[in-house]
Amino acid sequence: MGEILEIAMVVLFGASWPANVIKSYKSRTAKGKSLLFLILILVGYLCGITAKCFYTEAKWYVVFFYILNTVMVTADLVLYFRNRRLDKLAEAM
């Protein structure tokens, strides 16, 4: 039961990331984004993945969802730095 609830948490929490990545891509601005928030979420997912490595009875299919969310947060982090550069270019004009 615990594994099902963990999967539900990771899937439901991660469901917002694709929309967030698309919004970051289309908006072309880093305004309103928090670098600290993105880093904390990324570290949290990495901790979840690491925890699975130490728990020998873990259901490894849960790691798929952690990795998927990690990829999404990383994409949003890359877009943050792209958008911050675009913001600086726009301010210079």
Side-chain angles (χ1 to χ4, degrees), residues 4-52:
I4 292 170
L5 292 172
E6 182 180 14
I7 290 171
M9 182 273 304
V10 174
V11 168
L12 292 171
F13 190 71
S16 64
W17 287 114
N20 201 20
V21 169
I22 291 168
K23 183 179 177 185
S24 292
Y25 180 76
K26 288 182 177 180
S27 72
R28 300 178 63 85
T29 183
K31 294 176 182 164
K33 284 288 205 181
S34 170
L35 178 60
L36 179 60
F37 175 78
L38 291 173
I39 290 171
L40 290 173
I41 294 297
L42 184 62
V43 170
Y45 283 135
L46 293 174
C47 288
I49 292 168
T50 304
K52 292 297 178 189

Side-chain angles (χ1 to χ4, degrees), residues 6 10 38-54 60 63 65-74 77:
E6 182 180 14
V10 174
L38 291 173
I39 290 171
L40 290 173
I41 294 297
L42 184 62
V43 170
Y45 283 135
L46 293 174
C47 288
I49 292 168
T50 304
K52 292 297 178 189
C53 294
F54 290 109
W60 287 97
V63 175
F65 296 104
Y66 279 106
I67 292 171
L68 182 62
N69 288 350
T70 300
V71 168
M72 289 291 168
V73 175
T74 301
L77 195 58

